[in-house]
Amino acid sequence: MNFKTAYGLSKPYDFHRALPFLLGLLFSLLMALAGAWLWQRGNIRLATYRFDFMLYLLALAGAGTLLAIRPRLAWFSLGLFFIEASLAILSQVLSGFGLAAPLLPVNLLPPHQRFSYHPTLQAVPTPNFSGHIDFGLYVDHNRLGLRGRNSDLENLEHRKLIAVYGGSTTYDVGSSTGNTWPEKLNEQLGKDYAVLNYGVLGYSTAENLIQTAFYARLAGKAPHCAVYYIGWNDIRNAHLPQLDPGYADFHLLSQHSNLRSRKTYLLAEISPLGKLIYQNLRPLFDTVPEPPSYRRPAEIPATAPELEAIFRQNLRNLVALNRAQGTRSVFIAQVYNAPRLKDRNANTWMPMVDIKYVDALQQQYNRILMDEARQLGIVGIDLANRGYQEADFVDNVHFSPAGSAHFAQDIAAPLRTACP
């Protein structure tokens, strides 16, 4: 039996074999074209989970072609290809409208765990991590589990330690190593200072309190100054029906997924279907519950008095903890890209906040921050009218490298005065 006869391509044609053979070839060609297009755009890199996903799809398409002599096996392979590809594409499209979480595997190198489980903080930066993250940015964590390079930790005992706390805007997710605002700030302040980046994606004042209380001391001494660039991540708790004072019922639970600190299996990383099955079965054996899902009611007030009280108390506690160990405190109001606050992504981070109130709510928390700074007798820095433009941001709140440099320059002088 020759090749054409085996695959039903010679007269009389056997479409039971010819159809899966030709469809497998078509799928293989589409995968090759899609892979080349994604590679050219920088959306896929060698040896990443997304690269493995493309190889997996190519293997399914190839198997469908070669197994066409056994049509049932071929159709099973091609059907699985269709399901996996459809889930990846459809979820990616729906995620753009805030209607679903993307199932397309991440464009990261395994092991991709930039953050590791922590019993009190939920997730922390993995020490000595180095690698590319999404958008082609390069990230380093030093041996202490802070964003930055190990070379930044030289001679800490002879330098004034400036600990900067906050969420992703402090971690500075829009800039690669060397271009983050804490690093640029260190350049502005000079070699007598060591600016240490305690920022972690999603961290609110709840996590900042734990960091300040238990993890601030380095090289046998407390920081000379503690700088808090905060507000955005506290606001996400506004209007929750059951607001825990420590944000434990929603925000902290969500951090496991936000920072990908849960252990997963390779199949759940490279297969959208495997990921879907794993996510639905995980609650049966995982002791950490999933955060609740909230549906925003039709009418939402512009203010959140219960959350404001918690936020104010957390600010006072931060200053009290620092004073107890001889550390000066500095508050910096959140700088943000106001025109982009109407984006859907801004609203998905704050599930119970009406999109039309995000700007007003952030302004209110900036005012609270500055008001508490005055009452507590510490330095508060508000850069609301310092000319930040669209080019200073990569989205609604995160700086571009240019914005990071701009921000560092703006805060350097007042910080040098506050932390002589």
Side-chain angles (χ1 to χ4, degrees):
M1 182 182 293
N2 61 32
F3 172 82
K4 287 187 176 182
T5 303
Y7 287 98
L9 300 174
S10 60
K11 296 180 179 180
Y13 300 113
D14 183 352
F15 290 103
H16 288 92
R17 298 179 180 182
L19 281 179
F21 177 82
L22 295 173
L23 191 60
L25 285 179
L26 176 62
F27 284 168
S28 298
L29 177 61
L30 290 175
M31 285 306 306
L33 293 174
W37 181 71
L38 290 171
W39 183 278
Q40 190 271 333
R41 290 172 58 90
N43 291 329
I44 186 171
R45 294 183 293 113
L46 190 65
T48 60
Y49 285 120
R50 189 169 297 171
F51 182 84
D52 292 343
F53 170 62
M54 301 296 285
L55 289 181
Y56 166 57
L57 288 184
L58 191 59
L60 288 176
T65 302
L66 297 175
L67 292 173
I69 55 176
R70 296 287 186 269
R72 290 184 180 180
L73 292 176
W75 284 117
F76 175 81
S77 183
L78 294 174
L80 187 56
F81 172 97
F82 182 78
I83 292 171
E84 296 280 25
S86 297
L87 285 173
I89 295 170
L90 184 60
S91 66
Q92 198 71 16
V93 172
L94 291 176
S95 70
F97 295 94
L99 298 176
L103 294 173
L104 180 67
V106 292
N107 192 27
L108 299 176
L109 295 167
H112 71 284
Q113 282 195 303
R114 193 168 26 135
F115 301 95
S116 305
Y117 169 76
H118 190 278
T120 54
L121 290 166
Q122 310 309 312
V124 295
T126 303
N128 293 313
F129 172 91
S130 292
H132 286 91
I133 60 172
D134 286 339
F135 312 113
L137 299 176
Y138 193 85
V139 166
D140 286 291
H141 297 164
N142 60 37
R143 63 178 181 271
L144 300 177
L146 307 177
R147 184 166 187 195
R149 293 167 288 206
N150 281 319
S151 58
D152 299 333
L153 302 178
E154 295 175 358
N155 301 317
L156 289 184
E157 61 276 13
H158 304 302
R159 300 158 73 189
K160 295 176 182 178
L161 305 186
I162 308 294
V164 294
Y165 297 94
S168 56
T169 53
T170 299
Y171 184 91
D172 213 0
V173 296
S175 298
S176 290
T177 296
N179 289 319
T180 67
W181 69 258
E183 291 171 294
K184 292 298 182 182
L185 175 63
N186 212 150
E187 293 175 8
Q188 294 278 336
L189 294 178
K191 294 182 179 180
D192 290 338
Y193 291 86
V195 179
L196 304 171
N197 189 345
Y198 282 79
V200 181
L201 283 63
Y203 272 24
S204 67
T205 53
E207 291 98 331
N208 299 153
L209 278 167
I210 295 171
Q211 291 176 297
T212 303
F214 302 112
Y215 303 111
R217 296 183 69 86
L218 293 177
K221 62 181 180 180
H224 180 61
C225 264
V227 179
Y228 298 90
Y229 182 46
I230 49 179
W232 180 257
N233 292 329
D234 284 76
I235 295 174
R236 77 178 304 225
N237 297 283
H239 309 307
L240 296 182
Q242 294 178 330
L243 179 58
D244 181 88
Y247 306 155
D249 289 344
F250 169 70
H251 170 69
L252 293 185
L253 290 177
S254 74
Q255 284 291 87
H256 290 289
S257 297
N258 294 341
L259 299 182
R260 302 175 61 83
S261 61
R262 295 178 188 268
K263 288 186 177 180
T264 56
Y265 301 95
L266 180 62
L267 184 62
E269 295 290 357
I270 68 170
S271 163
L273 181 60
K275 186 174 186 177
L276 211 56
I277 294 171
Y278 172 75
Q279 288 176 343
N280 283 278
L281 291 181
R282 187 177 62 203
L284 299 178
F285 55 83
D286 196 336
T287 57
V288 180
E290 290 288 335
S293 295
Y294 292 113
R295 178 171 293 181
R296 193 177 302 110
E299 295 297 326
I300 288 288
T303 60
E306 185 181 0
L307 180 63
E308 288 181 13
I310 293 172
F311 185 58
R312 285 183 182 273
Q313 188 59 56
N314 287 350
L315 298 178
R316 295 165 192 167
N317 289 341
L318 287 170
V319 174
L321 284 169
N322 284 320
R323 281 178 173 157
Q325 51 190 353
T327 299
R328 301 169 186 241
S329 302
V330 177
F331 292 161
I332 304 179
Q334 202 87 55
V335 178
Y336 56 95
N337 188 4
R340 293 281 296 275
L341 287 188
K342 294 182 180 180
D343 286 359
R344 295 183 191 91
N345 288 335
N347 218 29
T348 55
W349 182 243
M350 304 173 183
M352 297 294 284
V353 179
D354 193 305
I355 196 167
K356 64 186 176 185
Y357 294 137
V358 176
D359 191 357
L361 206 55
Q362 182 60 71
Q363 289 185 43
Q364 173 65 5
Y365 278 73
N366 282 351
R367 286 192 293 269
I368 292 173
L369 198 67
M370 294 301 99
D371 181 53
E372 287 296 323
R374 285 189 293 271
Q375 292 189 44
L376 294 166
I378 67 169
V379 172
I381 303 173
D382 189 353
L383 303 174
N385 299 313
R386 295 298 292 269
Y388 286 84
Q389 305 295 324
E390 183 85 17
D392 289 316
F393 300 90
V394 294
D395 54 22
N396 43 33
V397 291
H398 301 108
F399 291 125
S400 64
S404 296
H406 184 177
F407 184 71
Q409 186 173 26
D410 282 349
I411 65 175
L415 278 181
R416 193 179 288 108
T417 300
C419 310

